[in-house]
Amino acid sequence: MKFTRYFAGVIKNQGIPHIDVNEYRRLFNIISLEAKLEELYKLNDNERSHDRKYTLDIRIHTLKELLDRQTMENTPQNVLKYMLSESKSEY
């Protein structure tokens, strides 16, 4: 949950970033995907059935790909910088 922790820290220390609606949508998608992934990792760790583990692994892989697309496989700092620059260019 590195993106979620980073964004939470930024909001706590600097306030809510001034980004447009599209970038807020991206931000919330990233947070949501990370929460789903964390839950699936916990379920997978406790699962004993190999069939169920395989199903969870596939779902985890799919969500990781979606997260990579949302974050452009970048660091949280770079993603936030990108969001801020995209928001400025729209105004």
Side-chain angles (χ1 to χ4, degrees):
M1 304 240 339
K2 67 181 180 180
F3 288 94
T4 302
R5 278 192 292 274
Y6 178 77
F7 294 144
V10 167
I11 290 169
K12 181 179 178 184
N13 295 321
Q14 300 172 10
I16 298 171
H18 298 287
I19 54 179
D20 66 21
V21 173
N22 291 327
E23 298 309 320
Y24 270 115
R25 187 177 326 134
R26 179 193 311 266
L27 176 77
F28 287 118
N29 282 337
I30 291 169
I31 292 168
S32 174
L33 287 168
E34 280 194 321
K36 289 177 187 178
L37 279 167
E38 183 174 332
E39 182 178 353
L40 289 174
Y41 282 131
K42 287 178 183 178
L43 288 171
N44 201 13
D45 287 344
N46 296 326
E47 187 59 53
R48 294 181 188 226
S49 165
H50 291 292
D51 290 338
R52 180 77 174 136
K53 273 189 169 286
Y54 177 74
T55 303
L56 290 169
D57 283 339
I58 290 172
R59 183 71 178 138
I60 288 169
H61 179 74
T62 303
L63 290 177
K64 283 173 84 175
E65 285 181 341
L66 289 172
L67 182 61
D68 285 346
R69 270 190 249 140
Q70 288 292 318
T71 62
M72 299 161 286
E73 299 182 41
N74 246 310
T75 65
Q77 296 86 349
N78 287 340
V79 171
L80 185 58
K81 285 178 188 175
Y82 176 81
M83 289 176 175
L84 290 167
S85 71
E86 283 296 303
S87 295
K88 287 180 185 176
S89 68
E90 300 230 351
Y91 293 109

